[in-house]
Amino acid sequence: MVAMSDSSTVKGSSTMATLLILFGLLMATLHFAGAQTGVCYGTLGDNLPVAGQVVALYNQHNIRRMRIYNPNQEALEALRGSNIELMIGVPNEDIENIASSQADANSWVQNNIRNYGNVRFRYVAVGNEVNPTSSTAQFILPAMRNLLNAITAAGLGNRIKVSTAIDTLRILGTWNPPSQGTFRPELTSFINPIISFLANNRAPLLVNGIYPYLTYINNTRDIRLDYALFTARGVVVQDGQLSYRNLFDAMVDAVYWALERAGGGFLEVVISGSGWPSAGGTATSLDNATTYNTNLIQNVKGGTPKKPGVPIETYVFDMFDENLKSPEYEKHWGLFSPNKHPKYSLNFN
């Protein structure tokens, strides 16, 4: 009986070890999925490849998520059956009509989502960096509600989340140090109802404006380049018990703190655009763009000092250089040239 007991114990330990290994692998898989990085597909260029070639390029480089800023029908056709997950944008100029009419919202969902049943829609982003003091801002939440109603009526409510992409630095009143992060008091009537909507529908907040490059060039006296590029060798900002070696983490944690103060500390944050230009301005170079984007992809897998181990879904900006933008540095954020050649190497595996 002793031998049987020993054997049983060994088998039990072996089974437990196997289960722990499998659990660890599952968690690693889930974390990888949560941190999976996508790329924004902007189209403000007159020399860009056709959408079919763009989708092929995403697949070739194992980029599994895409953000588009409007319901580009050519892109939607090319995405059919591709298995690429999509964030689709509602242009700012369409928000008021969708907010004012459930029928218009229903038509938008029919034309741009339901008609593409074999496209993997992930998010609908209602507006992009709408100025919270503009006349359009009041229509964002009603448009989100109407679109969610239409998506739910189509039986897609569990698969597609409705959110909006905020301009972070325009809405934050304070962000440095991160623990002082708070939304501007005069904008709480704008952001707080959106936070409640997202919480009630288990949708993330889409965060634009986490661009350490722009923050750096606007304050080169006080912000170190290595801090902006993820290359600082030691702690640069000590914020209570939290230590910051890069500006990206500090900016994201300021959003987390602001959400917490607004009652949305449990919301997921998705970085809907971040990158570094390779030419056209201060501190722009292929080396700096490579360094930033390489480190960004790795950094978001591990979370931030405030939320360590919580991966951050992130979209690198941008797929291509866009020659119709200005000023000059705005033309050079692409990972690829319009001829589809990579400007530098990034690993999305």
Side-chain angles (χ1 to χ4, degrees):
M1 288 183 66
V2 172
M4 187 179 295
S5 175
D6 287 345
S7 173
S8 177
T9 301
V10 170
K11 288 178 181 177
S13 299
S14 176
T15 301
M16 181 60 70
T18 301
L19 289 172
L20 288 172
I21 291 171
L22 290 173
F23 179 75
L25 290 172
L26 174 62
M27 291 306 294
T29 301
L30 290 174
H31 274 200
F32 175 78
Q36 193 172 68
T37 306
V39 177
C40 302
Y41 172 25
T43 56
L44 293 178
D46 60 11
N47 57 355
L48 301 180
V50 298
Q53 295 174 348
V54 175
V55 170
L57 204 58
Y58 270 71
N59 283 326
Q60 179 185 341
H61 292 273
N62 199 36
I63 304 169
R64 306 314 310 153
R65 288 178 182 157
M66 175 190 289
R67 179 186 181 186
I68 59 176
Y69 295 87
N70 56 70
N72 180 325
Q73 300 299 300
E74 183 186 1
L76 292 172
E77 285 291 343
L79 284 163
R80 288 185 184 274
S82 70
N83 215 32
I84 293 171
E85 293 185 287
L86 182 67
M87 179 193 304
I88 184 172
V90 177
N92 294 356
E93 58 269 23
D94 293 345
I95 292 174
E96 182 175 351
N97 286 341
I98 291 172
S100 304
S101 168
Q102 184 62 58
D104 282 358
N106 295 345
S107 295
W108 195 95
V109 169
Q110 179 66 51
N111 294 336
N112 303 308
I113 294 180
R114 297 186 71 177
N115 285 353
Y116 297 93
N118 55 349
V119 173
R120 292 190 64 189
F121 294 96
R122 183 171 177 83
Y123 304 121
V124 174
V126 181
N128 182 54
E129 297 186 355
V130 174
N131 186 333
T133 63
S134 70
S135 59
T136 302
Q138 63 184 307
F139 298 108
I140 292 177
L141 186 57
M144 292 169 69
R145 290 193 182 112
N146 285 349
L147 286 168
L148 179 62
N149 289 340
I151 288 169
T152 301
L156 300 171
N158 291 328
R159 184 157 65 90
I160 303 172
K161 299 300 181 181
V162 177
S163 187
T164 186
I166 64 167
D167 183 348
T168 306
L169 294 185
R170 184 176 278 167
I171 292 179
L172 286 177
T174 303
W175 67 269
N176 189 31
S179 65
Q180 298 304 306
T182 184
F183 295 120
R184 295 182 185 276
E186 67 272 22
L187 298 180
T188 55
S189 61
F190 165 76
I191 192 65
N192 285 1
I194 289 175
I195 291 171
S196 296
F197 173 90
L198 297 176
N200 289 338
N201 295 286
R202 299 182 179 180
L205 179 64
L206 306 177
V207 175
N208 267 23
I210 305 294
Y211 287 97
Y213 172 74
L214 298 177
T215 304
Y216 168 72
I217 65 171
N218 286 323
N219 189 5
T220 56
R221 185 189 67 181
D222 297 323
I223 297 175
R224 288 165 35 181
L225 182 59
D226 62 349
Y227 186 53
L229 286 171
F230 297 93
T231 56
R233 296 189 176 185
V235 174
V236 177
V237 171
Q238 188 66 44
D239 185 9
Q241 298 298 310
L242 303 180
S243 302
Y244 291 89
R245 295 169 180 256
N246 69 78
L247 182 54
F248 177 90
D249 281 352
M251 296 174 77
V252 173
D253 273 356
V255 175
Y256 283 140
W257 281 107
L259 283 170
E260 195 170 286
R261 290 189 170 92
F266 47 86
L267 277 186
E268 180 188 357
V269 161
V270 170
I271 306 303
S272 46
S274 189
W276 195 283
S278 60
T282 303
T284 60
S285 68
L286 283 173
D287 283 346
N288 284 350
T290 305
T291 297
Y292 180 84
N293 286 323
T294 298
N295 289 327
L296 173 69
I297 290 168
Q298 293 304 314
N299 187 79
V300 297
K301 296 176 183 178
T304 65
K306 180 168 172 56
K307 293 195 175 185
V310 179
I312 309 167
E313 183 179 342
T314 299
Y315 292 76
V316 179
F317 183 85
D318 197 5
M319 191 65 174
F320 298 102
D321 287 345
E322 296 176 85
N323 67 352
L324 299 181
K325 288 186 168 183
S326 62
E328 185 63 25
Y329 68 77
E330 288 284 2
K331 305 177 192 290
H332 302 283
W333 294 76
L335 306 181
F336 295 84
S337 298
N339 62 10
K340 300 182 291 181
H341 290 166
K343 290 161 60 178
Y344 44 87
S345 178
L346 285 181
N347 183 6
F348 286 91
N349 293 322

